[in-house]
Structures are given as C-alpha cells and as structure tokens.
Amino acid sequence: MIALGVLGLAAFFLVGAMQIRVSPGYAHIGPRFFPFLVSGGLAVCGLALLLEALQPRPAGVGEGEPERLPINWGAVLVVGAALLVQQLLLERAGFVVASALLFWGVAFAFGSRRYARDGLIGVTLAVAAYLAFTYLLDLNLPGGWLAGLVLRLTGGA
C-alpha cells in the first residue's frame, strides 16, 4: 500500500509539473525541472518499494509484531536545534553558513564525530546548492555576511 501511495504521489507531482507554463525563450533550467525531478525520484522509490513488497519471503519472516526500536530523543533534539539555528542564521549569516551548520548538526545527531570532514561536506553541498539556485535558476538565496566579505575581497560593489 505504501508503494502504491508513493507511485500515486509521483503521478500527482507529474500532472502538476505538466501544468506549469514555460515561456518559449527560457534559456535556463525551467520551472518544471525540479517538479519533474521530484516526480521521477518518487516513481523510482515507489517502484523499488513495489518490487520489494512483491518478493517472496521465507516462512516465518515478517510475521508477528515488528520489533520496536527506542527513539533517540537526544538526536531528535539536536536535529531540531540545528533546524532552529539554520532558521535564525539564514538571513544574517546567509544560506551557505546556515545550511552548512544544519548539515553538521544532523551529522552529529546521527552519530558522526568527524567534525572537520562533516563541516567540509556541509560547506561543499551548501555552496553547490547556493550556486545552482543563484546561477542556474536565477533565485536569490540570502548571501549574508559571507557574500559581503567575498564582495569586499574581490573589489565588487
């Protein structure tokens, strides 16, 4: 049932994406790109879930009550705090700094203790997302004090 729900959600997003109007002279990635990407990702996940559900199971597997894992409330609180910090810093510090800290906080909550590596990955992903949204999609994400610093160092206005 979950697989069918995910496939239905993929179809819903696909129909919605098809209804987005695109001007004929649009030079960049159009407004349909991400809805199509999400729809395709949901379709792949839905198909994988459906294939998994249709696989025959050995006798005794999947019967009875599922084992319940305890909730790690500390990790939940750290992720919540990381989200709050990201929202508080987004305008002031900028998208890159806020999102890198969010990535670092979630990695910490998931048990990673490689702080420098996680920070480097967070900055790399945040810069890539910032550049993609700013230059490919022409969407302005908050630059924050980092953008001001870059402009001062490069002699920009």
Side-chain angles (χ1 to χ4, degrees), residues 63-116:
E63 297 175 8
E65 282 293 313
E67 180 182 337
R68 294 207 180 249
L69 297 175
I71 296 174
N72 183 346
W73 290 107
V76 171
L77 289 173
V78 170
V79 169
L83 282 167
L84 181 63
V85 165
Q86 191 228 14
Q87 291 303 305
L88 292 173
L89 291 179
L90 192 59
E91 288 295 325
R92 202 164 275 147
F95 177 84
V96 172
V97 173
S99 296
L101 285 173
L102 174 64
F103 181 91
W104 186 87
V106 171
F108 179 82
F110 283 2
S112 176
R113 296 301 178 257
R114 296 176 131 180
Y115 306 124

Side-chain angles (χ1 to χ4, degrees), residues 16 20 22 48-49 56 60 64 68-69 74 101 105 120 126 134 145 150 152:
I20 297 173
V22 179
L49 287 168
R68 294 207 180 249
L69 297 175
L101 285 173
L120 183 61
T134 303
W145 57 264
V150 169
R152 279 193 298 263

Side-chain angles (χ1 to χ4, degrees), residues 125-137:
L125 290 174
V127 166
Y130 181 82
L131 293 175
F133 275 89
T134 303
Y135 295 108
L136 294 177
L137 298 175

